[in-house]
């Protein structure tokens, strides 16, 4: 029996984009804009159903310092003793996990932190600019807000450390102001319940927020209007180099009738790997060893009534490492990092701890009982910098490993990758 995917797919293609999250959709868009014939392939029934589904919503360019920094190892050690801490780690008999941790420690030196911050901010600034252009050009609506992001601090030491990072950010072209508590409250009065615990903040007026899932869906429609084809529920099994291109083996996700190994084999001049955390396993047999590990995070989404005292400006609570984005009549809160392998299950205790912290900050929101919880795996590199560019296999390109800033960097990495492919 011929694999049914052959009815949807050409045997020979120009470009295949593997993965339809916020990163893959942007690779497809920018490649189509540069005249390539693009087909996007994803195992799920719709776009952005994995890590891009319910993230924190921040387009956080000017607060984009990497997780690996000189203060981080000490903070992590303290957190490991605390069951309620934003980070948790389950040691596993897994060489990938230990290698990743070691590489992460090496990225914590001042020199590497500076280099990584420069790289992230450069890509993120470019990305935010392109996002604004896309919004105007295509009339996108994804519950975006352009009111900036306030990052608030509860200890003098954290606030002081933020001031030196703010200097660096300003040197790199970011508009990041250090502000006192009164100004924090002027910008976001809904923080009044915890005013006395806030020692200061930083405000990045040019940063934005929005719903990455709605955005990716809207961009699918834009891409389709540009001739991009989407083949959903098609699982990529393997990729290999062939003369003048690559060959991808695929199967329908629900195909239980087919004999094992009866794949659809399709060729392309180029393929882009944008599979988030699944990129590592696909590329390993090709000898491409990505330093990419899942950092599980959680989000909660709460309905907001018009007269609830809820934030409208996007926020970051430094102590609890939580981010807040108002998405229309919902409040999205996200945070936590668990290094527990490829396990997307929701831990109810972690969610309850997050909900308690949010209720303390915003006690006047009424619909906490209608909260939706979600967990996603950030495709994290030790440096927080993504892989964007060629791989060691000709015609196979990488656009993955965007970690905690995939929404923030997605437009820029798609655009830069498409330019590299044009020049190759
Ligand atoms: C709790 C949390 C909060 C976050 N907050 C923010 C934030 O505020 N701002 C920000 O910028 N970033 C944030 N992020 C990070 C951001 O969400 C990710 O970096 C981004 O979504 C990664 O996008 P992606 O397209 O690389 O991966 P994904 O969205 O996971 O897309 C990968 C796609 O590949 C598909 N796929 C995988 N394997 C296969 C296969 N074998 N065959 C076919 N298809 C396959 C999947 O179905 C999926 O659609 C957050 C993440 C989390 C978890």
């Amino acid at each position: 029996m011929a694999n049914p995917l052959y009815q949807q797919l050409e045997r020979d293609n120009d470009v295949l984009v593997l993965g339809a999250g916020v990163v893959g959709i942007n690779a497809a868009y920018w490649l189509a804009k540069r005249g390539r014939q693009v087909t996007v392939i994803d195992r799920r029934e719709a776009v952005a159903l994995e890590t891009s589904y319910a993230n924190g919503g921040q387009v956080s360019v000017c607060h984009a310092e990497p997780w690996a920094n000189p203060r981080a190892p000490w903070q992590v050690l303290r957190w490991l003793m605390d069951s309620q801490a934003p980070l948790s780690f389950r040691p596993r008999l897994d060489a990938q996990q230990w290698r990743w941790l070691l590489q992460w420690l090496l990225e914590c030196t001042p020199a590497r932190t500076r280099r990584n911050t420069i790289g992230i901010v450069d890509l993120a600034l470019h990305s935010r600019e392109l996002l604004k252009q896309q919004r105007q050009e295509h009339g996108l609506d994804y519950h975006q807000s352009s009111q900036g992001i306030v990052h608030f601090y509860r200890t003098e030491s954290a606030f002081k450390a933020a001031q030196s990072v703010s200097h660096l950010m300003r040197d790199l072209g970011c508009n990041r102001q250090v502000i006192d508590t009164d100004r924090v409250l002027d910008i976001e009065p809904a923080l009044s319940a915890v005013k006395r615990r806030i020692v200061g903040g930083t405000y990045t007026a040019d940063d934005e927020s929005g719903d990455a899932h709605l955005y990716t869906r809207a961009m699918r429609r834009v891409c389709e209007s540009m001739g991009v084809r989407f083949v959903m529920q098609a699982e990529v099994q393997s990729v290999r180099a062939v003369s003048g291109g690559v060959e991808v083996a695929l199967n329908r996700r629900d195909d239980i009738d087919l004999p094992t190994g009866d794949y659809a084999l399709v060729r392309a001049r180029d393929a882009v790997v944008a599979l988030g955390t699944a990129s590592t396993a696909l590329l390993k047999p090709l000898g491409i060893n990505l330093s990419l590990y899942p950092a599980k995070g959680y989000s909660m989404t709460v309905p907001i009534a018009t007269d609830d005292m809820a934030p409208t400006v996007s926020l970051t609570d430094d102590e609890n490492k939580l981010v807040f984005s108002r998405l229309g009549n919902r409040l999205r809160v996200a945070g936590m990092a668990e290094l527990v392998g490829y396990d997307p299950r929701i831990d109810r205790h972690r969610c309850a701890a997050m909900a308690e912290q949010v209720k303390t900050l915003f006690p006047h929101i009424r619909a906490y009982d209608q909260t939706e919880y979600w967990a996603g795996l950030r495709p994290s590199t030790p440096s927080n910098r993504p892989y964007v560019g060629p791989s060691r296999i000709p015609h196979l390109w990488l656009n993955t490993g965007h970690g905690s800033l995939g929404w923030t960097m997605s437009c820029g990495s798609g655009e830069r990758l498409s330019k590299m492919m044009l020049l190759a």
Side-chain angles (χ1 to χ4, degrees), residues 268-331:
R269 196 173 123 206
D270 291 295
V272 176
V273 177
L275 297 170
T277 50
S279 308
T280 321
L282 183 80
L283 295 172
K284 203 167 177 212
L286 298 170
I288 303 173
N289 290 308
L290 299 184
S291 190
L292 195 158
Y293 198 75
K296 177 152 88 173
Y298 291 87
S299 76
M300 52 186 278
T301 307
V302 194
I304 300 293
T306 27
D307 54 347
D308 274 353
M309 197 159 172
T312 58
V313 176
S314 187
L315 303 170
T316 300
D317 174 351
D318 186 73
E319 186 169 83
N320 293 320
K321 303 289 178 226
L322 291 180
V323 303
F324 299 76
S325 292
R326 182 68 174 262
L327 307 172
N329 57 4
R330 297 169 300 150
L331 178 67

Side-chain angles (χ1 to χ4, degrees), residues 10-30:
E10 304 293 331
R11 303 262 178 153
D12 286 299
N13 298 272
D14 180 20
V15 190
L16 296 177
V17 172
L18 312 179
V22 71
V23 170
I25 203 84
N26 264 296
Y29 171 82
W30 290 102

Side-chain angles (χ1 to χ4, degrees), residues 230-258:
F230 285 78
V231 179
M232 307 308 289
Q233 289 177 289
E235 184 140 31
V236 180
Q237 308 288 342
S238 63
V239 179
R240 72 182 184 103
V242 291
S243 163
V246 288
E247 184 179 70
V248 178
L250 297 161
N251 228 336
R252 265 175 63 108
R253 215 179 175 202
D254 54 357
D255 245 322
I256 39 175
D257 300 336
L258 285 175

Side-chain angles (χ1 to χ4, degrees), residues 18-24 41-44 46-60 212 234-237 250 274-279 282 295-299 323 325 334-336 374-379 399-409:
L18 312 179
V22 71
V23 170
I41 291 172
D42 198 284
R43 65 184 171 190
R44 302 296 296 262
V47 299
L49 291 185
E50 298 208 354
T51 312
S52 305
Y53 182 67
N55 69 22
Q58 290 189 337
V59 178
S60 170
E235 184 140 31
V236 180
Q237 308 288 342
L250 297 161
L275 297 170
T277 50
S279 308
L282 183 80
K296 177 152 88 173
Y298 291 87
S299 76
V323 303
S325 292
M336 315 254 182
W374 169 85
L377 303 178
R378 302 176 186 91
N399 195 13
T400 190
H402 292 69
S404 56
L405 291 169
W407 170 217
T408 304
M409 299 193 282

